[in-house]
Amino acid sequence: MSGDHHASSAISERVRHVEALLEARGLVDEGEIDRRIDEFLAGGSPANGARITARAWVDPGFRDRLLTDANAAIREVGLSMAGGLQEQRLKVVANTSEEHNVVVCTLCSCYPIALLGPSPAWYKSEAYRSRVVRDPRGVLAEFGLDLPATTRITVWDASAESRYMVVPRRPEGTEGMPEEELAGVVTRKGLIGTAAV
């Protein structure tokens, strides 16, 4: 993260120093870290998560593989969680009529950028990160998602090693829609669990 990415803060100076050491020792080429970050961010989009969800809705075998080993399954559609020097672990969870899943990172804002694009500001906010764990039903209601009292809500806490994505329930009336059209009904909020789809 060299060049214009850094302000003049002490942390920025330390990052640049470590970067220079890595370059001097031949562990990375000059500018390689910047290029990798730019490539990673350029490929990240909620359309990727929507594609995965649509495939899971139309292909039960893919859905099973996705819920069992998401990292392997997303490679089937040409995607990966390899955003840096090592692949992040991806766990995909599916909403059902009995259970609704929602994702948070209580420590910072860990998030599957490759599948959902850059994280929304509210996801990174302290208010969301602290409240969704204590009062998930209340937070979801603030997003406009009122779930029946009988629906169990599971909150998944992302970390530096693991990322989560939700497969929303397939909306009624979408039977027979082609996969590409189904992807168009999926939202980033649905993939995080703060919306129905």
Side-chain angles (χ1 to χ4, degrees):
M1 293 189 52
S2 60
D4 296 333
H5 293 292
H6 300 303
S8 59
S9 74
I11 292 174
S12 296
E13 290 176 30
R14 285 191 287 191
V15 169
R16 181 61 201 131
H17 178 73
V18 169
E19 204 174 358
L21 287 173
L22 291 170
E23 291 170 359
R25 292 182 181 161
L27 297 172
V28 296
D29 295 331
E30 185 175 339
E32 180 177 352
I33 293 172
D34 284 334
R35 284 191 305 278
R36 285 184 182 233
I37 290 170
D38 290 344
E39 288 169 8
F40 180 68
L41 291 174
S45 166
N48 293 334
R51 265 182 42 220
I52 292 167
T53 296
R55 174 70 54 90
W57 285 344
V58 300
D59 182 343
F62 177 77
R63 178 188 171 92
D64 291 345
R65 292 188 299 280
L66 183 66
L67 297 176
T68 301
D69 183 351
N71 289 79
I74 67 172
R75 284 193 282 280
E76 294 177 33
V77 294
L79 298 169
S80 85
M81 291 295 293
L85 301 176
Q86 97 181 49
E87 184 173 56
Q88 298 165 337
R89 179 182 169 271
L90 176 65
K91 169 89 174 145
V92 174
V93 293
N95 289 341
T96 67
S97 59
E98 296 85 29
E99 181 177 27
H100 184 86
N101 297 281
V102 63
V103 178
V104 66
C105 178
T106 56
L107 294 178
C108 53
S109 57
C110 297
Y111 179 86
I113 293 171
L115 305 182
L116 306 183
S119 58
W122 58 262
Y123 184 86
K124 298 179 265 190
S125 74
E126 187 175 339
Y128 174 77
R129 293 182 2 242
S130 62
R131 289 187 57 235
V132 76
V133 174
R134 290 191 326 263
D135 181 22
R137 194 171 300 279
V139 170
L140 294 176
E142 290 173 18
F143 277 95
L145 182 59
D146 293 307
L147 297 169
T150 56
T151 302
R152 182 177 64 251
I153 300 173
T154 303
V155 178
W156 296 89
D157 193 0
S159 68
E161 296 83 27
S162 297
R163 303 293 194 266
Y164 295 91
M165 186 185 93
V166 175
V167 172
R169 292 176 62 197
R170 185 173 178 167
E172 291 183 24
T174 61
E175 299 77 19
M177 279 178 74
E179 192 174 321
E180 297 76 26
E181 279 185 48
L182 284 169
V185 304
V186 180
T187 67
R188 177 168 55 184
K189 286 182 181 177
L191 298 167
I192 296 170
T194 56
V197 181

